[in-house]
Amino acid sequence: MPGTLIVSISGIRGVFGDGLDPAVLVRFGGAFGTWCRRRAMELGREPAVVIGRDARVSGDVCARIVSAALQSAGVDVVDAGLATTPTVEMAVQERRAAGGIVLSASHNPPEWNALKLLNEKGEFLTAREGEEVLRIVDDGTSETVGYEGLGTYERADFLDMHIDRILELDWIDAGDIAAADFKVVVDAVNSVGGIALPALLTRLGVREENIVRLHCEPTGRFAHPAEPLPEHLTELTELVASTHADLGIAVDPDVDRLALVADGGTYMSEELTQVVAADFMWKRAKGPFVTNLSSSRAVDDLAEAYGQTVFRSAVGEINVVQKMQEVGAILGGEGNGGVIVPELHYGRDALVGTAIVLQHLATEKVALSEVMRGLPRYTISKNKTAIGDTDPDTVLADLARQYADEETDTTDGLKINFMEEWVHLRKSNTEPIIRIYAEARTAERAGELAERFMEELQVSAATVSR
């Protein structure tokens, strides 16, 4: 594929005009439309696909191209317009559609865009489903219907439905939240969160004058790098402090990741978003929690205090979701700020995550800074290293043999659990590198652990390549 285009079982992404071009969008849109039409026939459903997009400048053009390709494959298009990823996921369920497409490159820079593909459950495609779509792409077997079979097109807005479903959850009480009279600063990085989060906060009872908007105009021209990391959120932390707000909320462009800033302007690691959600949920219900192998051990410590169980999956939302379904989890998430509430839908959702945090603070009558002080404290160091032409699976297998006496997990690369710390080594699906995540009680120790394994990877790579 040309230019920057990255193809995987979950869809495609690239820079618009340099790989992600109209012809590519038509090809993949037509293939997915063909797959959805066949799937609809199997399920006895109407051949409809819900599409929605974040606010990237290229989003409208991409959406129109993809819509035409879907209609040409005989699929009815339900265009949700500017919509969060979790909203599109829920809209697929609401409309009993055969699939969905989210046009968003998540935290990538604004010149990037993507097609993220959903099945009829509103979940990301499984490996088998993704392979079926790619086979249609590769074989060139997309179907184009005659003029009498063209799909229809309609516009629809699903945000109110999404918020309605959140407020219908038994453990969300807008009256309690309204009584707490929170002041909240929202940083939506100039994307759809600027529409969705203020609407949610209003419905939860936060007064309009207590919603402080920062970069909430959905222009798609991101005011800072889109990933909600502390170095990108200095304006938010300063505004939370200067306005004496109760908390700050930061989301990525498609609103499936949630980062928090506590009262006083203290950034709370994305790793702790799912831990706060688990603390809230385990006070109300018992059951397993699922997260991925690269997420913080803090949730395991919390689970031990509640007498509950944590299961780990390979990295990737669909892997977490499938593990949740397997073990009957009451909650799940990822350390990148993702919270998954199966009672609502099986997808990371910053809107329901926000509602959980506000309800937690209102019910417990505590500040977020107090909650932070009560949570397990760890630091993760995230790194990557190139190993040349050496096969990464061979290198990781060599290290697994070296650490056979430790507690290891080879579900996704190699994770080594030590008594007070861990390291997770996994090959990238998009770059010729190995990612090294290390967690320890202090930043210094996490950095030392990461450095140690970067060196060990290089030694192992040199050894196995001889």
Side-chain angles (χ1 to χ4, degrees):
M1 291 294 177
T4 61
L5 192 68
I6 300 168
V7 179
S8 72
I9 58 171
S10 59
I12 57 172
R13 75 175 55 202
V15 173
F16 187 75
D18 182 21
L20 190 70
D21 300 320
V24 171
L25 293 168
V26 169
R27 185 179 179 189
F28 277 84
F32 185 63
T34 298
W35 182 82
C36 284
R37 191 157 65 87
R38 294 171 182 171
R39 186 74 177 135
M41 291 176 65
E42 294 173 7
L43 297 170
R45 293 188 179 187
E46 293 298 317
V49 170
V50 179
I51 68 170
R53 62 184 179 88
D54 69 18
R56 290 166 196 273
V57 174
S58 64
D60 180 55
V61 169
C62 291
R64 284 185 280 137
I65 293 169
V66 170
S67 294
L70 291 169
Q71 289 177 266
S72 298
V75 169
D76 297 334
V77 174
V78 183
D79 187 351
L82 289 171
T84 75
T85 287
T87 302
V88 177
E89 292 170 343
M90 293 187 66
V92 171
Q93 297 177 336
E94 179 76 5
R95 293 298 294 262
R96 299 192 76 249
I101 298 178
V102 181
L103 289 101
S104 170
S106 302
H107 62 270
N108 287 83
E111 64 269 23
W112 286 73
N113 215 325
L115 303 186
K116 299 196 287 190
L117 308 179
L118 309 173
N119 62 21
E120 77 280 357
K121 299 175 185 177
E123 300 167 11
F124 286 108
L125 301 188
T126 65
R128 180 184 61 79
E129 291 168 340
E131 288 164 1
E132 289 173 358
V133 174
L134 291 179
R135 192 174 305 117
I136 296 172
V137 173
D138 294 338
D139 294 347
T141 53
S142 296
E143 298 168 358
T144 301
V145 300
Y147 75 96
E148 292 183 330
L150 288 171
T152 61
Y153 175 88
E154 66 173 292
R155 289 293 302 268
D157 191 324
F158 295 97
L159 178 58
D160 285 343
M161 176 275 295
H162 187 173
I163 296 173
D164 286 344
R165 298 291 185 274
I166 292 173
L167 268 65
E168 288 166 4
L169 294 167
D170 289 341
W171 29 266
I172 295 297
D173 188 328
D176 285 351
I177 295 171
D181 199 28
F182 292 117
K183 175 180 277 191
V184 184
V185 183
V186 177
D187 183 347
V189 71
N190 302 112
S191 194
V192 293
I195 300 170
L197 283 168
L200 170 71
L201 292 172
T202 298
R203 293 282 303 279
L204 288 172
V206 179
R207 292 184 292 127
E208 174 61 30
E209 57 268 32
N210 279 352
I211 302 173
V212 183
R213 291 168 171 82
L214 176 65
H215 309 313
C216 282
E217 304 80 9
T219 63
R221 301 184 184 278
F222 306 153
H224 55 74
E227 192 165 11
L229 301 176
E231 58 267 30
H232 303 156
L233 301 176
T234 53
E235 286 181 275
L236 176 61
T237 55
E238 290 168 3
L239 196 55
V240 169
S242 65
T243 61
H244 306 288
D246 295 287
L247 74 158
I249 295 168
V251 292
D252 61 342
D254 67 324
V255 199
D256 61 357
R257 294 172 59 175
L258 172 65
L260 302 169
V261 174
D263 49 295
T266 302
Y267 175 83
M268 191 177 87
S269 169
E270 273 189 304
E271 291 289 337
L272 293 179
T273 301
Q274 64 172 349
V275 183
V276 173
D279 189 32
F280 170 83
M281 196 64 72
W282 277 328
K283 291 180 187 299
R284 289 154 183 79
K286 305 305 178 187
F289 183 96
V290 175
T291 190
N292 68 41
L293 285 165
S294 282
S295 294
S296 175
R297 190 180 279 182
V299 74
D300 300 84
D301 290 358
L302 185 69
E304 185 176 354
Y306 278 102
Q308 299 304 306
T309 305
V310 174
F311 292 90
R312 298 274 173 170
S313 77
V315 174
E317 181 176 323
I318 186 58
N319 297 316
V320 175
V321 165
Q322 289 180 321
K323 191 67 174 181
M324 290 177 69
Q325 293 167 339
E326 176 190 331
V327 303
I330 62 169
L331 194 68
E334 293 188 285
N336 60 9
V339 175
I340 304 172
V341 180
E343 193 176 343
L344 186 67
H345 69 112
Y346 278 105
R348 295 182 309 194
D349 190 333
L351 275 72
V352 76
T354 296
I356 285 173
V357 171
L358 290 174
Q359 186 69 57
H360 192 37
L361 300 183
T363 302
E364 301 299 317
K365 295 180 172 54
V366 294
L368 185 56
S369 57
E370 296 176 67
V371 174
M372 281 181 63
R373 285 194 290 272
L375 296 176
R377 302 300 291 271
Y378 292 93
T379 299
I380 290 184
S381 177
K382 300 181 180 182
N383 309 268
K384 58 186 179 182
T385 187
I387 56 170
D389 296 329
T390 309
D391 176 38
D393 292 323
T394 304
V395 174
L396 294 178
D398 181 61
L399 279 175
R401 285 190 293 271
Q402 294 181 42
Y403 284 91
D405 292 338
E406 302 289 347
E407 179 188 336
T408 61
D409 189 322
T410 57
T411 302
D412 183 9
L414 172 64
K415 183 171 184 178
I416 307 169
N417 286 297
F418 301 104
M419 186 67 68
E420 291 290 327
E421 54 203 23
W422 57 261
V423 61
H424 187 201
L425 315 169
R426 55 186 291 269
K427 65 179 180 180
S428 170
N429 293 324
T430 59
E431 301 176 75
I433 60 168
I434 289 181
R435 299 190 187 280
I436 304 102
Y437 285 19
E439 182 177 66
R441 288 289 184 181
T442 67
E444 180 182 14
R445 179 56 192 156
E448 290 172 353
L449 189 62
E451 287 288 339
R452 167 185 156 189
F453 275 90
M454 280 192 280
E455 292 176 5
E456 292 194 22
L457 280 167
Q458 296 300 326
V459 172
S460 182
T463 300
V464 300
S465 63
R466 288 174 188 162

